[in-house]
Amino acid sequence: MNHARIVGTGSYLPEKVLTNVDLEQMVETTADWIVERTGVEERHVAAPGETTCDLSEQASRHALEAAGVEARDIDLIIIGTTTPDHVFPSVATQLQHRLGCRGGAAFDVQAVCSGFVYALDIAYRFIRTDGAQRALVVGADTFTRIINWQDRGTCILFGDGAGAVVLEKADQPGIIDSQLHADGRYKELLWVPAGVSSGYEQTRENAAFVEMRGSEVFKVAVHTLKEMAEQILAANGLTVADVDWFIPHQANRRILSATAKRLGLPEERMVDCVRIHGNTSAASIPLALDVAVRDGRIQRGDTLLLEGFGGGFTWGAVLLKY
Ligand code: UT7
């Protein structure tokens, strides 16, 4: 079977920045409370009319450029997103059209904040089995569109953005291992109660937004991220000491710190963009990856552990040599 490796990364953030001081004007909160409980200082918010496909396109163009790959050479596009431009068609098909590459498979994956890890796992399996040669894998969300700006328990956390990687067939790993999981019992801890086949009509008058039981999500997230890291490392004969960079879903600084502590992983080896991005759902991991690649922290040959966790619950890990 083939191997697959990341040959380029890219990301994009909308121009508008929403600070904690701005949020103080919108809900009963303080900038200090937000920083202390979440680590978030600012997040980016898509402009009116700016869509998930717009963000995906910018991130993808940066990733293609970094990889030195022409869009016409991409034969698979997978986007992890919960906030598509349309009910259908998928964002991936629209992105394919904009980039000018035709004919290969293109589809969206809905695993909320684990969306990028799910998409990367699937692309990896396509390449492993000769179903594709070169994939564009994107995590993109305009999550602020499904936020209730009167709910101080959620509106302080989320932001918009997109990250992308080009994954290519290779002789050597690349991706060492990848695992995906889900447990639907936890639906109501983090969800949007209405959907296309349930309550969609009512949403015209009464929009449906994210609802979250934050402290319960918090506990499961820390436990799961820790267990999953230990599992995938042990399965591959590695330990935490072998990981050069840990890139977990950027949910909350306290979740990241607690996970690193339980793993015995020094925080200096964890990529943490929570302060400047907030929680960008499926975009958070590829955004953090791209930041650390471009600022020179992540070098070729480094061992990376990516971990997603999100609504469902869904979770997944990808272990790779960059
Ligand atoms: O991708 C996964 C997505 N979700 C997450 O990662 C969420 C994980 N959870 C969290 O990040 C945290 O649970 C939050 C940041 C959402 C909340 O922090 P917490 O330390 O778990 O606070 P809490 O929910 O236990 O609330 C403590 C208090 C409550 O007041 P009372 O009941 O003690 O009087 C809240 O009403 O803090 C209050 N509170 C706030 N106060 C000021 C909640 N939100 C705010 C706020 N400003 N924005």
Side-chain angles (χ1 to χ4, degrees):
M1 278 203 273
N2 307 316
H3 292 290
R5 62 186 280 265
I6 292 175
V7 292
T9 67
S11 62
Y12 181 76
L13 290 159
E15 254 173 55
K16 186 184 169 186
V17 172
L18 185 73
T19 67
N20 292 348
V21 174
D22 297 330
L23 282 162
E24 283 181 346
Q25 315 304 313
M26 298 161 66
V27 285
E28 199 185 329
T29 191
T30 64
D32 288 347
W33 191 97
I34 301 171
V35 173
E36 189 195 309
R37 297 290 182 112
T38 72
V40 183
E41 287 180 22
E42 57 187 42
R43 68 291 285 147
H44 292 248
V45 176
E50 191 176 32
T51 68
T52 297
C53 194
D54 295 330
L55 309 188
S56 301
E57 182 183 352
Q58 296 299 328
S60 299
R61 290 194 187 280
H62 293 153
L64 288 167
E65 195 184 341
V69 165
E70 296 292 333
R72 64 170 176 270
D73 295 326
I74 295 291
D75 56 1
L76 171 67
I77 299 180
I78 311 180
I79 302 188
T81 187
T82 308
T83 49
D85 298 26
H86 310 292
V87 172
F88 72 85
S90 66
V91 182
T93 56
Q94 296 311 291
L95 177 65
Q96 187 206 49
H97 175 60
R98 289 193 195 186
L99 294 176
C101 47
R102 222 160 267 164
F107 57 92
D108 296 354
V109 169
Q110 212 273 50
V112 205
C113 302
S114 308
F116 177 75
V117 167
Y118 265 63
L120 188 59
D121 176 283
I122 297 165
Y124 166 56
R125 290 173 200 276
F126 263 79
I127 291 175
R128 287 280 275 172
T129 54
D130 265 332
Q133 306 290 307
R134 203 172 278 118
L136 184 59
V137 185
V138 182
D141 268 309
T142 45
F143 222 71
T144 63
R145 297 267 157 76
I146 51 169
I147 291 301
N148 173 359
W149 292 101
Q150 267 107 55
D151 176 10
R152 66 178 184 170
T154 51
C155 75
I156 54 155
L157 281 176
F158 295 94
D160 300 329
V165 304
V166 177
L167 189 74
E168 196 174 87
K169 184 170 148 182
D171 298 332
Q172 302 287 326
I175 293 183
I176 299 165
D177 197 3
S178 176
Q179 299 180 359
L180 302 182
H181 306 275
D183 187 339
R185 277 178 304 176
Y186 294 103
K187 173 174 95 172
E188 288 167 25
L189 294 193
L190 177 54
W191 67 325
V192 176
V196 177
S197 74
S198 83
Y200 186 63
E201 281 304 306
Q202 287 96 298
T203 60
R204 288 169 196 225
E205 286 84 43
N206 190 12
F209 297 117
V210 172
E211 293 181 9
M212 179 174 75
R213 306 221 294 259
S215 57
E216 289 169 71
V217 177
F218 192 107
K219 283 176 212 144
V220 185
V222 172
H223 175 76
T224 307
L225 289 168
K226 182 234 175 210
E227 293 283 308
M228 178 165 55
E230 288 178 344
Q231 219 174 61
I232 195 166
L233 288 169
N236 291 280
L238 300 176
T239 70
V240 165
D242 297 306
V243 176
D244 295 304
W245 292 104
F246 178 44
I247 312 181
H249 168 50
Q250 311 281 302
N252 174 321
R253 162 75 53 70
R254 282 161 54 226
I255 292 181
L256 269 57
S257 298
T259 306
K261 190 170 169 204
R262 287 183 190 198
L263 282 171
L265 182 127
E267 287 203 26
E268 306 79 65
R269 288 200 273 126
M270 178 171 68
V271 182
D272 178 354
C273 295
V274 169
R275 185 180 71 77
I276 48 170
H277 296 166
N279 180 344
T280 55
S281 189
S284 92
I285 293 173
L287 259 169
L289 171 66
D290 187 51
V291 166
V293 165
R294 284 175 195 261
D295 70 19
R297 271 178 288 175
I298 294 178
Q299 296 288 318
R300 283 279 165 211
D302 281 355
T303 300
L304 314 185
L305 177 58
L306 319 183
E307 281 198 324
F309 179 84
F313 288 139
T314 56
W315 63 101
V318 179
L319 182 65
L320 64 101
K321 279 254 179 250
Y322 181 69

